[in-house]
Amino acid sequence: IEYAGNNGRASLFIVDYGNEEPCRLKVHNSTFKYSSSYGFYFPGHTIIDKFENITSTKNKTAGYVHIRVAEKLDRQSDFTGNLGDDYITLSTRGGWINSDTTWKGLSVPYNLSGTFSIDDDATLTIGAGAKIVFDKSVGITVHGGLKAIGTAKEPILFTGKKETPG
């Protein structure tokens, strides 16, 4: 999909009205390019059956996904070369991770723009090589579990969007 998306809409934009049936999505071997917004946008009620071997480049930002569906992004996809920020922006609307979830290390960092919580019965696993960039005054409240185990070759980085002490 090229030259699509405007006024804050992504090239592939899944609508979430909250009271509708969730959208199901299966996309692979695809490119999202030259959007004036995100390459793709998936709210929390999106059911992603497959989202693999994706290139999202030359958009304002690679993509916007809910914290609960971010685990569907694969390491073989390339989200680099965007014109604004090379991030996958994570939506925290709904605010909870309520089942075991894994965020893999990707070709770009995740940008956490809002605070969220991990439920008592859930664990968020951060995969080797993942980078989490926090906006100002944003955090994660852990009631359940948070597991982040990097390697010497693929460390995990938690950092602020603005690299200033504080």
Side-chain angles (χ1 to χ4, degrees), residues 16-143:
D16 179 11
Y17 293 114
N19 57 358
E20 304 275 328
E21 287 294 317
C23 298
R24 293 192 81 93
L25 181 68
K26 186 185 290 187
V27 180
H28 54 96
N29 304 321
S30 299
T31 299
F32 304 97
K33 198 173 188 180
Y34 300 118
S35 172
S36 64
S37 183
Y38 304 102
F40 50 89
Y41 178 103
F42 308 140
H45 292 87
T46 307
I47 298 170
I48 300 177
D49 294 320
K50 186 176 190 177
F51 194 73
E52 298 173 352
N53 195 27
I54 302 299
T55 299
S56 185
T57 189
K58 301 201 181 341
N59 304 296
K60 181 178 177 186
T61 302
Y64 181 98
V65 300
H66 193 274
I67 55 175
R68 291 189 293 261
V69 298
E71 70 178 347
K72 296 298 185 171
L73 304 176
D74 77 309
R75 291 188 70 141
Q76 290 70 41
S77 292
D78 183 8
F79 304 119
T80 62
N82 290 285
L83 306 175
D85 293 318
D86 266 341
Y87 294 129
I88 298 294
T89 301
L90 296 176
S91 165
T92 59
R93 185 175 168 210
W96 287 87
I97 288 183
N98 52 12
S99 63
D100 292 348
T101 302
T102 299
W103 296 348
K104 301 165 193 80
L106 302 175
S107 59
V108 297
Y110 297 96
N111 175 219
L112 190 57
S113 59
T115 297
F116 71 95
S117 298
I118 303 168
D119 198 13
D120 291 338
D121 299 324
T123 297
L124 172 60
T125 300
I126 308 294
K131 296 174 187 74
I132 315 296
V133 177
F134 292 80
D135 282 356
K136 184 178 180 180
S137 300
V138 169
I140 301 171
T141 302
V142 180
H143 298 277

